[in-house]
Amino acid sequence: MNKQTFAFMDEDAKKEIRRSLLKAVALPGYTVPFASREMPVARGWGTGGLQITLSIILEQDVLKVIDQGCDGSVNAVNMRGFITSVTGVESVTETSRSTIIQTRHRIPEQELTEDHILVFQVPYPEVLTTVEPDTAQQKRMHGDGDYSKLWVLLYEDTSQFGDSRISNRYPVQVDGHYVMDPSPIPKYDIPRMDNSPALQLFGAGREKRIYAIPPYTEVKPLKFDDREFKVESFGNICCERCGASGVFFDEVRIGSDKHFFCSDTEFCDGNRGEEHVS
Amino acid sequence: MSYVAIKGGSEAIRSSKTFFRDMIHHAEGIGDKELQKGLIFSCDRIMGEGGLYSEKLAAEAIRRTGGDLLEAAFYMRAHRSTCRRVGDAETLNCGSMRLLRRISSAFKDIEGGQILGPSCDYVIRLFHGNLQEEEDNSLKVDSMTGPLPSAVDSMRLRDQVIVLPNHEDSPHDVSRSFPLPPYTRSSLMQVMSRGETGAMLAFAYTSMRGYGDVHPTIGDLRIGYIEVKFTHPFTGKKVKVGEIRVTACESIGSFNRDPGDGKLRLSTGFGFCLGFNETKAIAMSILDMAMHHKGYSVGGVDIASNPEIIIHHVDGIESMGFTNHFKLPHYVTFQADLHVLERAKEMTDE
């Protein structure tokens, strides 16, 4: 009881999760059930991502944890503290030096490589939940490739508001087959999932599902042929700290003034030639 | 064949109560301070659900029930019936709270800043290990800030938030008359404010989990102390009665056309309870949003957005009472059930 296993969970648990991951990689976009364990952080705080990270991490791995693009955000700090305390692995903020990046709500601005594994914390793994709460029916619909209810939702929103009201976790079709929930990333990050050289793993602890996008896999947002997929646009805005443009920004209001800063804080620090302090 | 009459009730009851007292008698040794300060969240929960703010009685209720919090809330509610209604206090303004903790998940930077305050959110739940033995930096919990306006106010000022119409001159008092449909917002809010934490959580969760589609962003969640003011019955002057611990949560939901002028605006929901109970305040804000902005979300099957369901099912004392009444003898009704079964059998066998 006193000596803890490497990476917290027992070896059988980690093996089971790795096997689910293999299945998920073999069936891109398909949600694989797994026996999600209780983690010492609350369900809904990233236990799915945490379990994946702990199952795949090795002593030589270099860990980066971000929340909303930020290494210093409280949840990221807490996760990183826990993972490093039970593994002893090195943790960094530099995207380029990391091998495993556990993330909530963002994909790092810097282009990922084949050496990266991106682990997403997922609140809702089932893309059909909003239009069909019945689990058995969802499974049938995935089997039949029947995404008509999603298309109807998109159509209704488009006819009323000119575009879908879905701002994040926009449904995507993976490798021309399964439609999946890309975790709550903004639309800006969706095209960056497509054909990525990095392995992308998704863990939903509360919902006990794992899914994956293998490297170099096609990921396309659901969209009508005659409608362009529009990502968040910030116009000509530049980051007030580093001057970057064309990235995803945090909008900060101070008094009545609007200010914009890079959402990816490490990217921002890198642009300024600073070492990131979290 | 022996005949066993169900008699001798008084002796059986006496013994049963003695057994129960015996079972929890160690609770007598737990002092008021330990309960009020050490089990603050238990006390707060039953003050909220019991609808009575008294730390002393909350401690007593926990002692008398062996820590069964539903039962303890029941003690508070029962005691409430013995208290005379003096009148209505001034409406509390959450903006005037002395804040221990105040966070916004919607805005990174807010007036007054994010105040993490006391929270178990970042505690690693391990019995063993060194994570919780972090060095004591001797921060005192009594450092407080405020008053501060809600972080959602900035959006309200820019006309980005839908304002619910108010058809009530004065709030309905659910403790004096149970509301009839169509339920006013004030009556729903009161019932929820006294609602059982677990029930509120479950109903709110349905809306996040598939039977509805409220996925709120917390605009402003705060715990702190707030002054209760009252007009003195003799002098007619406003006096401060005291200060209570409260939790308030304002959540932001999806947008739709404002039925008032057809403009697109965001919906919000509000949750408030006595004591520190963030889970309940958040759940309440979700239910408020689900009920009053029905049709703003996509989900088809509604539980949380049905006031008829919520108003009759979130009260823990009521639902516990009815559930536990099944322990009472039902010999007569069950006998009648068996007769009906026998009759039906005869009919179908023919």
Side-chain angles (χ1 to χ4, degrees):
Chain A
M1 219 114 171
N2 290 330
K3 190 167 182 318
Q4 222 162 39
T5 337
F6 175 77
F8 184 71
M9 284 185 291
D10 69 86
E11 293 302 334
D12 289 338
K14 287 188 284 186
K15 187 175 174 185
E16 192 238 311
I17 291 168
R18 285 195 294 266
R19 290 173 74 138
S20 302
L21 284 168
L22 288 173
K23 183 170 177 180
V25 170
L27 297 165
Y30 175 76
T31 59
V32 183
F34 81 110
S36 179
R37 265 62 170 185
E38 294 294 342
M39 289 282 110
V41 296
R43 281 275 197 261
W45 285 65
T47 56
L50 187 59
Q51 290 177 79
I52 290 182
T53 299
L54 293 175
S55 301
I56 60 171
I57 201 163
L58 302 170
E59 280 96 338
Q60 62 268 31
D61 270 312
V62 181
L63 176 76
K64 173 181 168 76
V65 185
I66 52 171
D67 188 306
Q68 315 269 312
C70 180
D71 295 88
S73 155
V74 276
N75 196 35
V77 170
N78 210 43
M79 286 280 177
R80 180 168 54 240
F82 175 64
I83 300 167
T84 53
S85 78
V86 293
T87 58
V89 300
E90 185 190 1
S91 75
V92 294
T93 57
E94 299 100 305
T95 305
S96 53
R97 280 190 61 210
S98 62
T99 57
I100 297 175
I101 304 168
Q102 186 173 320
T103 180
R104 179 168 171 265
H105 294 196
R106 272 313 308 277
I107 295 175
E109 295 290 349
Q110 191 189 315
E111 295 227 351
L112 301 178
T113 67
E114 291 176 3
D115 296 330
H116 286 112
I117 297 176
L118 192 55
V119 180
F120 290 84
Q121 299 172 194
V122 179
Y124 297 99
E126 181 47 70
V127 71
L128 292 169
T129 300
T130 38
V131 289
E132 176 52 67
D134 186 292
T135 319
Q137 186 59 19
Q138 289 164 357
K139 214 167 156 51
R140 261 193 297 278
M141 287 162 77
H142 278 298
D144 295 342
D146 173 9
Y147 298 111
S148 50
K149 284 189 168 181
L150 279 179
W151 285 109
V152 170
L153 172 64
L154 289 182
Y155 178 76
E156 283 178 346
D157 270 8
T158 308
S159 64
Q160 281 189 82
F161 305 108
D163 203 345
S164 164
R165 281 190 292 176
I166 306 170
S167 64
N168 57 73
R169 53 184 287 254
Y170 194 92
V172 293
Q173 187 158 40
V174 184
D175 197 25
H177 194 123
Y178 289 105
V179 171
M180 66 159 231
D181 186 309
S183 163
I185 53 171
K187 287 189 208 171
Y188 172 86
D189 281 337
I190 297 268
R192 306 167 70 233
M193 272 187 167
D194 182 34
N195 213 32
S196 169
L199 170 64
Q200 301 175 76
L201 303 175
F202 300 79
R206 184 180 49 100
E207 299 276 348
K208 303 167 186 64
R209 289 282 191 280
I210 277 172
Y211 53 108
I213 302 171
Y216 304 111
T217 303
E218 186 190 77
V219 178
K220 293 279 173 246
L222 281 199
K223 199 71 193 170
F224 295 109
D225 291 342
D226 56 350
R227 292 272 161 178
E228 199 190 333
F229 180 68
K230 287 195 193 117
V231 301
E232 295 79 1
S233 158
F234 296 90
N236 297 321
I237 281 159
C238 297
C239 171
E240 273 186 41
R241 274 187 85 237
C242 74
S245 61
V247 296
F248 196 84
F249 289 108
D250 281 334
E251 183 182 320
V252 175
R253 280 174 195 271
I254 301 166
S256 56
D257 301 332
K258 272 189 199 176
H259 301 265
F260 291 90
F261 302 100
C262 292
S263 139
D264 185 334
T265 51
E266 188 270 336
F267 176 80
C268 192
D269 288 345
N271 287 342
R272 287 163 57 99
E274 277 177 17
E275 203 163 300
H276 182 83
V277 185
S278 65
Chain B
M1 190 162 156
S2 61
Y3 169 72
V4 186
I6 308 301
K7 285 184 179 167
S10 2
E11 200 188 323
I13 286 175
R14 228 179 2 257
S15 308
S16 171
K17 288 203 282 196
T18 311
F19 274 138
F20 183 71
R21 267 201 302 275
D22 197 43
M23 190 186 230
I24 62 165
H25 81 276
H26 285 293
E28 285 163 24
I30 312 173
D32 277 355
K33 194 180 161 200
E34 285 74 23
L35 290 165
Q36 286 169 23
K37 307 286 180 198
L39 298 186
I40 180 171
F41 294 107
S42 300
C43 287
D44 281 12
R45 201 170 141 167
I46 63 176
M47 290 197 296
E49 292 170 18
L52 182 69
Y53 195 95
S54 165
E55 292 183 74
K56 197 170 164 15
L57 288 175
E60 188 59 33
I62 291 175
R63 254 196 305 270
R64 282 176 182 265
T65 57
D68 181 333
L69 296 190
L70 262 171
E71 278 291 343
F74 191 11
Y75 266 87
M76 302 298 274
R77 203 68 83 78
H79 179 76
R80 214 172 174 269
S81 302
T82 70
C83 306
R84 250 187 89 193
R85 170 68 49 103
V86 191
D88 294 336
E90 301 266 306
T91 304
L92 302 176
N93 175 4
C94 290
S96 71
M97 265 166 80
R98 287 198 303 136
L99 298 167
L100 262 186
R101 165 170 160 82
R102 185 271 201 130
I103 54 159
S104 173
S105 320
F107 306 104
K108 195 171 193 174
D109 215 351
I110 44 177
E111 190 188 336
Q114 304 267 5
I115 308 162
L116 219 44
S119 170
C120 67
D121 285 353
Y122 300 96
V123 173
I124 301 290
R125 280 77 159 182
L126 284 179
F127 290 114
H128 305 281
N130 50 16
L131 277 160
Q132 285 168 23
E133 291 159 19
E134 281 160 20
E135 58 200 274
D136 176 19
N137 55 8
S138 303
L139 256 181
K140 284 278 170 278
V141 180
D142 57 10
S143 54
M144 283 196 260
T145 43
L148 282 172
S150 166
V152 184
D153 280 358
S154 65
M155 296 180 71
R156 251 190 290 274
L157 288 172
R158 290 199 298 278
D159 197 26
Q160 289 175 318
V161 173
I162 190 166
V163 178
L164 284 169
N166 182 14
H167 304 296
E168 299 171 85
D169 295 331
S170 60
H172 186 102
D173 185 345
V174 297
S175 70
R176 288 298 174 270
S177 67
F178 199 78
L180 293 170
Y183 304 108
T184 56
R185 187 153 178 256
S186 73
S187 56
L188 283 163
M189 295 304 255
Q190 280 173 68
V191 169
M192 289 198 290
S193 196
R194 294 200 307 183
E196 201 263 326
T197 308
M200 304 269 292
L201 178 62
F203 280 122
Y205 190 47
T206 60
S207 186
M208 293 172 249
R209 177 58 186 64
Y211 297 86
D213 179 34
V214 175
H215 186 171
T217 308
I218 291 173
D220 191 287
L221 172 67
R222 48 178 64 193
I223 62 172
Y225 292 81
I226 196 162
E227 285 182 2
V228 180
K229 290 184 185 129
F230 188 68
T231 309
H232 196 282
F234 301 133
T235 64
K237 283 184 185 155
K238 271 186 205 167
V239 286
K240 177 182 153 186
V241 180
E243 216 179 29
I244 55 173
R245 280 197 296 274
V246 296
T247 309
C249 176
E250 207 170 358
S251 295
I252 307 166
S254 58
F255 68 82
N256 207 332
R257 275 183 219 288
D258 192 325
D261 58 9
K263 287 193 178 155
L264 293 182
R265 289 195 183 89
L266 286 159
S267 58
T268 57
F270 183 62
F272 179 90
C273 55
L274 297 181
F276 294 160
N277 190 346
E278 295 181 13
T279 305
K280 179 167 150 183
I282 298 169
M284 181 169 162
S285 74
I286 290 165
L287 292 174
D288 180 40
M289 193 144 55
M291 285 189 282
H292 291 96
H293 302 291
K294 203 176 172 175
Y296 271 48
S297 53
V298 234
V301 193
D302 288 317
I303 298 169
S305 64
N306 185 339
E308 196 59 41
I309 292 181
I310 300 306
I311 206 159
H312 291 291
H313 296 93
V314 296
D315 195 291
I317 317 283
E318 316 259 23
S319 49
M320 174 187 74
F322 198 74
T323 306
N324 282 339
H325 111 280
F326 291 121
K327 293 186 284 189
L328 288 174
H330 281 73
Y331 316 128
V332 172
T333 44
F334 190 65
Q335 183 76 67
D337 283 347
L338 289 179
H339 272 279
V340 176
L341 171 70
E342 286 304 324
R343 198 107 12 110
K345 259 176 146 178
E346 282 166 25
M347 283 291 290
T348 50
D349 288 349
E350 269 170 18

